[in-house]
């Protein structure tokens, strides 16, 4: 926004006529408050940033200059004073009356700001989000003979500039006065100002106070000296609790000197979903930039929350997030490497702490190990997997079994696990997130290991066949059972296996389930779609109900003379096998269970009536 009148070449002791911004200021304020900034609270960050930048600019010229920022809130008004470089009248017109003039190539103060975060004009106008009037009184440290200058602006888009007598501000620096707009007085209340100043400015390198209360708390908790590692761990745990509201399992130092990064990562004490985006606190040159930085760490490191200070990352236009560029990508990789080193160190020197960590966050480590073979090799003795031998590591399981069998889904594992275990076949449940991928990657870090998928065919092949003569004698029983289950897309086979307590085993694989789903869809479709789905019919093996010839109940059922009763019993065994495998029931399966239950009740009550 350019003023309608060019700045005077010589300071004027009298007020100038009002100017108007060459943009719609009300529209700009609406843009800032509803589209750029997440909350009105950022106005205080902008004020602090302007003050800090001004002090930094003065120190560059005068290393011994005072470095103070003072905030005073009272009665719906706020005053912010700094001992910074100050402004001349020309600076006021250039910086405060020009919106969009973002070039950092200009001479003077704008050039000095090239190393700083703030852009004085934009940052100050952001205060209109909470203020109806802004008054700035400033005196330049670079032009000692220049008088103090006053800039006063209203939210109607007008502003005035005038010079003041020397007595109005004898020392260099700037004072900003805000008067709250209607409904925004709470943002200028003393308690709110103090809380926001502490939140945004706790790591600023200068003496910042609200009234007499210090805002800055340096050095940062991760840089302070402590009597020993234990005292440091306790202090950082307290800092984490105050900041994030939880006591961490552990603390990871995040130091990347080349990127100007110092901070810590706090390990969450409870498991979180990998899909949950972590919110990290990032300070940029001491000023809090955001509490919700999501792209700071690799996706696999979802089990930590970070707080750090940096001087190399770029903020977005709102200065509430990080700009995605090559620098951020490099920092993300470097911070991920720090977490890898921490994990490797635990595995090598502190297995107890590693065990406590993996008990909660094994999913995050598994996610990392998928793409990092060295991490997988390091974590082999520690990462837990569900197996037929219990919950043990891949390393221990591979030592026990010459062939590492695994299933791709939890349902397949539940079908085969009890039987496979009884037959001496070791199986890993690969249905959980990342587990199947890691099992298949095992030979790459453990040469000589044989890995094989365990499907229904493999399990059936390991079950003992029944003597042909006995199976022939039971052909009528098997025919009745097959006739009853054929509409459900299920075959019936007879085998002998352990444990004896399992009467029947329902086995299928992905191809069989796909074929069943296609058949169900075909049955429900109209003639056109039924024809299309019928053309897709596959030759995949169907599901099968494996009856255990060693089970006493199956033997009694096989001796029944009534084919109808055999069919009802077969339906009951089928339903029980589905329930034991914890498979989701289709409507047809639920109807079968109900029909079989009623049929068995009718048979039982009919038998009682006959005996009576």
């Amino acid at each position: 926004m350019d003023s309608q009148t060019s700045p005077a070449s010589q300071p004027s002791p009298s007020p100038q006529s009002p100017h108007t911004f060459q943009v719609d200021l009300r529209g700009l304020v609406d843009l800032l408050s509803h589209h750029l900034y997440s909350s009105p609270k950022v106005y205080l960050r902008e004020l602090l940033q302007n003050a800090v930048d001004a002090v930094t600019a003065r120190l560059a010229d005068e290393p011994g200059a005072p470095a103070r920022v003072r905030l005073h809130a009272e009665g719906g008004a706020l005053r912010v004073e700094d001992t910074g470089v100050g402004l001349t009248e020309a600076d006021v017109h250039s910086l405060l009356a020009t919106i969009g003039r973002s070039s950092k190539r200009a001479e003077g103060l704008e050039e000095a700001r090239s190393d700083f975060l703030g852009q004085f004009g934009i940052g100050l106008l952001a205060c209109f989000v909470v203020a109806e009037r802004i008054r700035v009184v400033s005196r330049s440290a670079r032009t000692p003979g220049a008088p103090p200058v006053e800039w006063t602006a209203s939210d109607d888009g007008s502003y005035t500039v005038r010079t003041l007598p020397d007595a109005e501000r004898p020392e260099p620096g700037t004072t900003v006065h805000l008067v709250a707009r209607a409904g925004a007085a709470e943002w200028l209340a003393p308690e709110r100002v103090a809380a926001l100043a502490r939140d945004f400015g706790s790591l600023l390198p200068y003496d910042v106070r609200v009234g007499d209360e210090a805002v800055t708390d340096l050095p940062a908790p991760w840089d302070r000296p402590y009597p020993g590692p234990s005292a440091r761990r306790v202090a950082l745990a307290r800092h984490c609790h105050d900041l994030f509201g939880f006591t961490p399992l552990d603390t990871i130092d995040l130091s990347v000197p080349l990127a100007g990064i110092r901070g810590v990562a706090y390990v969450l004490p409870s498991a979180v979903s990998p899909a949950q985006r972590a919110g990290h606190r990032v300070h940029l040159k001491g000023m809090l930039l955001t509490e919700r930085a999501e792209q700071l760490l690799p996706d696999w490191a979802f089990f930590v929350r970070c707080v750090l200070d940096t001087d190399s990352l770029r903020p977005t236009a709102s200065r509430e997030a990080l700009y995605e560029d090559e620098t951020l990508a490099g920092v993300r990789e470097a911070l991920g490497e720090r977490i890898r080193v921490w994990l490797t160190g635990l595995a090598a020197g502190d297995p107890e702490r590693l065990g406590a960590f993996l008990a909660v966050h094994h999913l995050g480590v598994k996610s990392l190990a998928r793409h990092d073979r060295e991490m997988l090799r390091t974590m082999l003795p520690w990462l837990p997997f569900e197996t037929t031998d219990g919950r043990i590591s891949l390393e221990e399981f591979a030592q026990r079994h010459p062939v590492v069998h695994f299933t791709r889904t939890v349902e397949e594992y539940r079908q085969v696990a009890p039987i496979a275990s009884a037959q001496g076949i070791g199986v890993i449940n690969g249905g959980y997130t990342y587990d199947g991928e890691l099992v298949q990657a095992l030979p790459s870090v453990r040469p000589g290991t044989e890995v094989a998928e365990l499907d229904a065919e493999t399990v059936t092949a390991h079950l003992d066949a029944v003597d042909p003569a006995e199976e022939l004698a039971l052909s009528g029983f098997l025919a009745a059972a097959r006739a009853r289950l054929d509409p459900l897309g299920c075959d019936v086979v007879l085998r002998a296996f352990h444990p004896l307590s399992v009467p029947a085993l329902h086995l299928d694989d992905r191809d069989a389930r796909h074929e069943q789903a296609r058949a169900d869809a075909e049955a429900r479709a109209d003639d056109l779609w039924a024809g299309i789905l019928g053309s897709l019919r596959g030759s995949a093996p169907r599901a099968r109900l494996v009856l255990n010839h060693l089970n006493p109940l199956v033997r009694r059922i096989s001796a029944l003379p009534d084919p109808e009763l055999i069919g009802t019993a077969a339906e009951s065994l089928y339903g029980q096998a589905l329930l034991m495998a914890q498979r989701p029931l289709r409507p047809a399966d639920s109807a079968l269970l109900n029909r079989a239950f009623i049929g068995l009740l009718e048979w039982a009550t009919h038998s009682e009536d006959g005996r009576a």
Side-chain angles (χ1 to χ4, degrees):
M1 58 196 162
D2 292 323
S3 64
Q4 291 180 337
T5 307
S6 301
S9 58
Q10 297 295 327
S12 171
S14 60
Q16 296 182 357
S17 59
H19 307 285
T20 57
F21 297 107
Q22 294 299 326
V23 295
D24 178 3
L25 184 60
R26 294 187 186 277
L28 175 64
V29 172
D30 179 73
L31 176 68
L32 294 175
S33 60
H34 293 102
H35 302 284
L36 187 63
Y37 296 132
S38 62
S39 166
K41 70 180 183 180
V42 298
Y43 88 92
L44 193 68
R45 183 195 63 197
E46 298 295 347
L47 287 175
L48 280 176
Q49 191 63 65
N50 284 337
V52 167
D53 283 351
V55 171
T56 302
R58 185 176 181 186
L59 290 176
D61 296 335
E62 304 176 49
R68 297 189 305 271
V69 179
R70 297 290 184 266
L71 296 88
H72 304 275
E74 185 178 3
L78 175 65
R79 184 173 82 255
V80 180
E81 302 176 355
D82 68 65
T83 58
V85 71
L87 302 170
T88 64
E89 185 179 0
D91 292 332
V92 167
H93 282 286
S94 177
L95 296 176
L96 296 182
T98 307
I99 279 281
R101 187 171 176 180
S102 58
S103 171
K104 302 294 185 178
R105 295 188 296 271
E107 296 295 326
L109 188 59
E110 286 185 353
E111 182 181 42
R113 287 187 186 279
S114 63
D115 291 332
F116 311 138
L117 278 181
Q119 183 177 335
F120 198 93
I122 295 286
L124 192 61
L125 289 177
C127 294
F128 278 121
V129 172
V130 298
E132 67 177 7
R133 187 169 72 254
I134 302 174
R135 177 172 172 257
V136 177
V137 177
S138 186
R139 183 163 193 161
S140 174
R142 286 185 171 151
T143 311
V149 61
E150 176 191 72
W151 178 86
T152 305
S154 299
D155 60 2
D156 62 2
S158 65
Y159 69 90
T160 61
V161 179
R162 65 171 183 157
T163 57
L164 301 175
D166 288 348
E168 290 286 332
R169 183 164 187 106
E171 298 297 329
T174 300
T175 302
V176 179
H177 303 262
L178 301 186
V179 177
R181 65 168 55 247
E186 62 172 305
W187 293 105
L188 273 64
E191 302 81 10
R192 178 64 68 88
V193 168
L196 292 178
R198 284 193 300 270
D199 199 35
F200 285 121
S202 63
L203 300 184
L204 290 175
Y206 306 132
D207 179 14
V208 181
R209 296 176 181 270
V210 177
D212 295 326
E213 180 184 351
V215 167
T216 52
D217 186 19
L218 295 176
W222 50 85
D223 284 331
R224 294 173 190 168
Y226 295 98
S230 179
R232 185 175 191 273
R233 191 176 297 118
V234 170
L236 289 178
R238 187 182 306 113
H239 175 251
C240 175
H241 190 274
D242 293 341
L243 209 57
F244 295 116
F246 65 86
T247 300
L249 277 179
D250 208 347
T251 301
I252 307 168
D253 282 308
L254 300 178
S255 176
V256 186
L258 290 178
I261 286 178
R262 287 285 301 157
V264 290
Y266 294 117
V267 181
L268 292 167
S270 56
V272 294
S273 167
Q276 179 177 330
R277 305 299 297 180
H280 307 293
R281 286 178 65 96
V282 178
H283 296 255
L284 192 52
K285 299 176 183 176
M287 183 70 72
L288 178 65
L289 181 73
T290 179
E291 300 172 283
R292 300 183 301 275
E294 295 182 350
Q295 68 273 50
L296 188 64
L297 294 180
D299 290 341
W300 55 262
F302 55 82
F303 50 84
V304 299
R305 295 291 180 272
C306 294
V307 54
L308 54 82
D309 188 24
T310 175
D311 58 16
S312 64
L313 299 178
R314 285 178 58 194
T316 58
S318 66
R319 282 185 268 167
E320 294 186 276
L322 296 171
Y323 189 81
E324 185 68 50
D325 57 11
E326 292 183 359
T327 301
L328 179 57
V331 166
R332 183 163 49 235
E333 183 177 346
L335 295 180
E337 181 60 27
R338 298 298 181 276
I339 299 176
R340 283 190 186 93
V341 170
W342 170 77
L343 281 170
T344 304
L346 286 186
D350 199 338
E352 185 175 340
R353 283 170 64 199
L354 178 64
F357 166 75
L358 290 178
V360 179
H361 296 300
H362 57 272
L363 200 58
V365 180
K366 287 180 177 180
S367 174
L368 169 60
R370 288 183 306 153
H371 308 294
D372 190 325
R373 289 294 178 260
E374 189 57 39
M375 180 57 65
L376 177 57
R377 183 179 292 106
T378 301
M379 290 296 157
L380 270 182
W382 308 103
L383 286 175
F385 288 77
E386 182 180 355
T387 78
T388 49
D389 292 353
R391 194 165 181 79
I392 61 176
S393 70
L394 284 182
E395 177 67 27
E396 184 176 353
F397 187 88
Q399 290 174 357
R400 295 182 183 182
H401 300 277
V403 178
V404 176
H405 289 99
F406 74 100
T407 62
R408 291 187 180 274
T409 68
V410 175
E411 289 78 10
E412 291 174 355
Y413 177 80
R414 288 170 177 166
Q415 287 181 71
V416 303
I419 309 305
S421 179
Q423 306 302 312
I425 306 172
V427 185
I428 296 175
N429 185 353
Y432 294 119
T433 306
Y434 311 133
D435 284 10
E437 294 177 72
L438 294 177
V439 173
Q440 293 178 83
L442 191 55
S444 68
V445 295
R446 197 177 188 277
T449 303
E450 183 179 350
V451 173
E453 182 178 354
L454 187 67
D455 55 19
E457 290 286 348
T458 305
V459 175
T460 305
H462 278 81
L463 303 180
D464 294 335
V466 178
D467 182 85
E470 291 189 59
E471 188 166 1
L472 182 62
L474 297 174
S475 58
F477 158 70
L478 293 175
R482 286 168 180 155
R484 185 61 67 91
L485 297 183
D486 184 69
L488 297 171
C490 183
D491 291 332
V492 178
V493 297
L494 189 66
R495 293 289 187 273
F497 56 86
H498 292 273
L500 301 180
S501 58
V502 177
L505 177 66
H506 180 270
L507 294 177
D508 62 5
D509 53 27
R510 280 166 296 158
D511 291 337
R513 286 194 292 276
H514 176 76
E515 174 62 21
Q516 183 61 57
R518 186 209 58 76
D520 290 344
E522 180 182 354
R524 295 191 302 269
D526 56 28
D527 291 343
L528 174 61
W529 279 108
I532 295 174
L533 291 169
S535 67
L536 299 176
R537 183 179 294 112
S539 58
R542 303 201 304 170
R544 69 201 69 182
L545 182 68
V546 183
L547 300 179
N548 188 358
H549 186 53
L550 302 180
N551 180 266
L553 176 61
V554 172
R555 286 180 174 273
R556 287 197 296 272
I557 293 173
S558 66
L560 292 172
D562 184 356
E564 185 66 25
L565 185 55
I566 289 175
T568 300
E571 288 180 334
S572 300
L573 291 173
Y574 172 85
Q576 188 265 351
L578 284 180
L579 294 174
M580 290 297 293
Q582 302 182 47
R583 293 291 304 279
L585 299 180
R586 300 170 297 162
D589 297 330
S590 299
L592 173 144
L593 280 171
N594 184 62
R595 184 172 63 249
F597 178 70
I598 297 299
L600 290 176
L601 283 179
E602 288 180 347
W603 176 80
T605 54
H606 176 74
S607 299
E608 288 294 329
D609 291 343
R611 285 197 294 273

